[in-house]
Amino acid sequence: MAFLLPSFCVCAEKIHLQLRWHHQFQFAGYYAALEQGYYRQAGLDVILHEGSPEKFSVSEVLQGHAQYGVANSELLLDRLRGAPLVALAAIFQHSPSVLLARKDAGILSPDDLIGKDVMLMDKAVDADFFAMLHNEGVSLAKIHVIPSSFNIQDLVDGKVVAFNSYLSNEPYYLKQHGVEYTVLNPRNYGVDFYSDILFTTEDEIKQHPDRVKAFRSATLEGWRYAMNHPQEIIDLLIGKYQVKKSRSHLEFEAEAMRSLILPELIEIGHINPGRLRHMAETFVKAGMIDNDRLLEGFVYDPDPAVDQKKLRQYVQISGGIALLTSILAMILYMANRSIKRESLLRMAAEAEIKKLAYRDTLTGLDNRLSFFILANQMVKLAHRENNKIAVLFIDLNDFKIINDQFGHKAGDEVLIYVGLTLRKLVRQSDIAARLGGDEFAILLSNIINREDIICSLRQIQQEISRPIIYQEQELRISACIGMAVYPDDGLDIDALLEIADSHMYQVKAENKYSSHTHTETI
């Protein structure tokens, strides 16, 4: 382990960062930024403060006890209620917040919580869960909510049937105590929020713009280092921060976080304005806020536009310069524009290449590479959550006939239609991909029984079999679908896909779902 020794120069600015909870791997990037000297190099003397049930990061920052903090969806909720908060970076692309329920209590969906003892925090902090309940039409008044004790032992002891938890933490504890559990994940009910969002205030950005930019940049550098060197961070947590978790628990936490941060797929800190608007709309629909009009300006821009007043002053001064200087300046200006234009084109090309790497260009679905990356992550997640997932392998019947009789453009229209159909039918938590040619795959998460799969399978077949209009012709297509279930049929995605493929060919051979392609003139 080769950590840099902290030594701050006298000119370093002392700033305070309020963490959301006790020291653990959840905040790995901040420890790395400190120990690797990224904060020091930015001229910052950063002090980390642990969170607790009595110390919430949003209130600590608003009260001036810290300039920066780490918060979950409550950050956006408070912003929409008028607090001058600004999001600097979203570390977790998917929230780890879930409800863990005792398996022996028969809790399989939010409906099953009615009349039961459930540990939650208030609506501001556990906004994910309250939005999930609203989406499922479950009235909070019908659930016996007990203020969270922050102690998972209460679930182990049976004091409650469900407990507000983190996927990266409490499941390890339950497995160690031999408690079988089920997971109620808001993502499976239309609530997919960001988590562990680094934030500050509007005043901090206004008064110290350079400090904000430097702090954010150093922090993200720390997170990139931490995700590439998890064992070093674990050594640090055990040795320096005296974290009480075992090494195996911290390793569990680090691995669970990887599937939520997605560092291999998404730039760490990325915030999609569309997802934030979806979060805000979810709050509005759930009655937590009246409107989302304060959403504008919530996301920090590290490279704001040039101040227009200063620009005008510069132009006026430049107007008095000699003609030759003006001509030279114009040449430089045009050259700069050309460079910027080429830079933008290069960036756009790189973005397009990245998109092409993971998307099927014809259907817009995930491609084969993306499917295997995401599916492997979902298998690991299902293993941790003790859940079932299903793989559906879809093959279009007589697709070659359409290509031969009506041309490849007609075939493309069929594939595009199938892609739209699959996107319409799968949930946000599921995966739909085109593996190649006329072969597609779907991964269904959080499956309770095979009857659910059969229902989805039949719905897909019915929708695919609807007529497709192409150049005044009515094209009809059908599909054979094979399925495999984790962990019943296989323990990795390769085995599951192979079994689903084999099952599909059995179905095709037995002619259970066969249909013929034909056309009719309209």
Side-chain angles (χ1 to χ4, degrees):
M1 182 173 67
F3 286 114
L4 299 178
L5 295 175
S7 59
F8 301 99
C9 85
V10 294
C11 60
E13 293 183 88
K14 181 170 290 187
I15 60 173
H16 299 265
L17 170 64
Q18 180 61 57
L19 304 179
R20 195 171 187 273
W21 196 239
H22 304 308
H23 290 306
Q24 53 190 337
F25 199 90
Q26 179 182 350
F27 309 111
Y30 306 107
Y31 310 130
L34 271 175
E35 300 302 319
Q36 291 301 308
Y38 300 141
Y39 285 141
R40 186 186 69 247
Q41 293 165 16
L44 303 173
D45 179 1
V46 177
I47 301 173
L48 304 181
H49 298 275
E50 288 186 284
S52 70
E54 297 78 31
K55 183 183 285 188
F56 290 101
S57 56
V58 170
S59 58
E60 288 295 299
V61 171
L62 288 176
Q63 291 170 16
H65 300 155
Q67 294 96 335
Y68 302 87
V70 181
N72 285 356
S73 57
E74 71 270 15
L75 178 72
L76 176 58
L77 193 59
D78 283 327
R79 164 74 184 202
L80 297 176
R81 289 172 174 170
L85 301 167
V86 180
L88 300 178
I91 305 303
F92 285 35
Q93 293 298 308
H94 300 293
S95 174
S97 296
V98 295
L99 282 180
L100 295 183
R102 293 183 63 95
K103 195 169 185 178
D104 55 18
I107 307 297
L108 300 176
S109 71
D111 287 333
D112 297 325
L113 298 173
I114 294 175
K116 304 293 187 356
D117 293 337
V118 180
M119 274 197 174
L120 292 173
M121 291 188 280
D122 61 35
K123 280 189 177 183
V125 180
D126 272 345
D128 308 50
F129 302 137
F130 290 96
M132 175 183 71
L133 294 173
H134 177 268
N135 283 359
E136 290 300 293
V138 177
S139 171
L140 193 61
K142 295 182 179 180
I143 298 175
H144 184 203
V145 176
I146 299 174
S148 181
S149 64
F150 303 95
N151 187 354
I152 191 64
Q153 188 64 36
D154 286 337
L155 184 65
V156 174
D157 295 338
K159 293 181 180 179
V160 292
V161 301
F163 188 91
N164 59 308
S165 309
Y166 255 33
L167 271 177
S168 54
N169 189 32
E170 283 79 7
Y172 178 89
Y173 190 85
L174 295 181
K175 289 180 180 179
Q176 292 295 304
H177 286 74
V179 177
E180 293 189 345
Y181 61 92
T182 54
V183 178
L184 297 184
N185 193 330
R187 286 172 62 187
N188 294 330
Y189 302 94
V191 182
D192 189 7
F193 288 173
Y194 286 120
S195 178
D196 283 65
I197 304 169
L198 179 66
F199 73 95
T200 188
T201 61
E202 292 179 346
D203 186 64
E204 172 72 5
I205 294 173
K206 181 179 180 181
Q207 299 296 329
H208 307 281
D210 293 337
R211 183 166 78 183
V212 174
K213 188 172 183 177
F215 178 74
R216 178 182 182 273
S217 178
T219 296
L220 295 181
E221 188 68 23
W223 270 106
R224 285 188 285 270
Y225 185 91
M227 297 311 293
N228 289 326
H229 303 85
Q231 289 299 329
E232 288 189 20
I233 305 302
I234 291 173
D235 290 340
L236 178 70
L237 288 167
I238 294 173
K240 180 175 180 178
Y241 290 91
Q242 303 296 306
V243 172
K244 295 180 180 179
K245 289 182 178 180
S246 66
R247 176 174 290 275
S248 61
H249 194 166
L250 290 169
E251 289 174 344
F252 173 89
E253 184 180 12
E255 180 61 24
M257 284 171 51
R258 185 167 293 277
S259 65
L260 300 168
I261 296 175
L262 301 173
E264 294 86 3
L265 297 177
I266 300 175
E267 182 180 1
I268 295 178
H270 174 71
I271 299 178
N272 185 325
R275 279 189 67 192
L276 282 181
R277 185 159 297 282
H278 171 70
M279 289 172 65
E281 290 171 353
T282 300
F283 291 148
V284 173
K285 292 176 182 177
M288 298 181 186
I289 52 170
D290 294 330
N291 57 68
D292 62 357
R293 61 182 178 84
L294 295 178
L295 183 61
E296 185 70 27
F298 176 60
V299 179
Y300 170 72
D301 182 0
D303 297 301
V306 178
D307 186 288
Q308 295 300 313
K309 182 177 179 181
K310 291 182 179 179
L311 183 61
R312 284 194 298 270
Q313 292 175 346
Y314 174 78
V315 172
Q316 291 172 357
I317 294 172
S318 298
I321 300 176
L323 180 60
L324 179 59
T325 305
S326 297
I327 293 174
L328 291 174
M330 182 59 68
I331 293 173
L332 290 174
Y333 172 72
M334 294 302 294
N336 186 49
R337 283 192 62 186
S338 177
I339 293 172
K340 285 185 177 180
R341 186 162 54 248
E342 289 189 12
S343 177
L344 288 173
L345 288 172
R346 179 181 57 80
M347 291 173 63
E350 289 175 352
E352 187 62 25
I353 291 171
K354 188 174 181 179
K355 178 181 176 183
L356 290 173
Y358 298 107
R359 289 286 173 186
D360 176 62
T361 55
L362 181 63
T363 64
L365 299 176
D366 289 297
N367 62 16
R368 189 181 188 88
L369 172 63
S370 180
F371 176 79
F372 276 95
I373 292 173
L374 297 174
N376 275 312
Q377 292 173 347
M378 290 191 67
V379 168
K380 292 178 182 179
L381 190 61
H383 175 70
R384 285 195 296 269
E385 295 182 0
N386 198 27
N387 279 344
K388 291 180 182 291
I389 59 176
V391 173
L392 302 184
F393 190 96
I394 304 171
D395 183 76
L396 302 182
N397 293 320
D398 300 324
F399 176 72
K400 186 175 183 297
I401 295 177
I402 288 182
N403 272 333
D404 292 344
Q405 291 185 0
F406 305 102
H408 288 284
K409 287 187 177 180
D412 287 348
E413 286 298 319
V414 169
L415 295 175
I416 291 170
Y417 171 76
V418 173
L420 290 171
T421 299
L422 297 184
R423 283 207 303 274
K424 179 179 69 175
L425 294 179
V426 301
R427 301 166 297 178
Q428 288 185 346
S429 58
D430 299 331
I431 303 170
R434 182 188 177 201
L435 301 183
D438 61 343
E439 294 179 340
F440 297 82
I442 292 177
L443 194 150
L444 303 173
S445 63
N446 200 29
I447 295 300
I448 297 174
N449 52 56
R450 287 183 180 263
E451 286 70 25
D452 292 338
I453 309 172
I454 298 297
C455 181
S456 297
L457 185 151
R458 288 174 178 166
Q459 186 180 15
I460 292 169
Q461 286 182 314
Q462 289 172 1
E463 290 296 321
I464 288 178
S465 65
R466 294 182 182 277
I468 305 165
I469 307 303
Y470 175 73
Q471 294 184 353
E472 297 188 343
Q473 300 289 318
E474 188 175 276
L475 306 179
R476 291 185 180 272
I477 198 76
S478 63
C480 282
I481 306 177
M483 69 177 182
V485 178
Y486 170 89
D488 303 349
D489 300 324
L491 299 179
D492 60 65
I493 191 58
D494 291 319
L496 292 169
L497 198 61
E498 183 177 346
I499 292 171
D501 186 15
S502 177
H503 181 229
M504 183 275 297
Y505 277 106
Q506 290 177 18
V507 171
K508 189 181 287 283
E510 295 167 4
N511 202 27
K512 287 183 178 179
Y513 302 102
S514 65
S515 61
H516 297 286
T517 304
H518 67 277
T519 64
E520 296 177 2
T521 303
I522 297 177

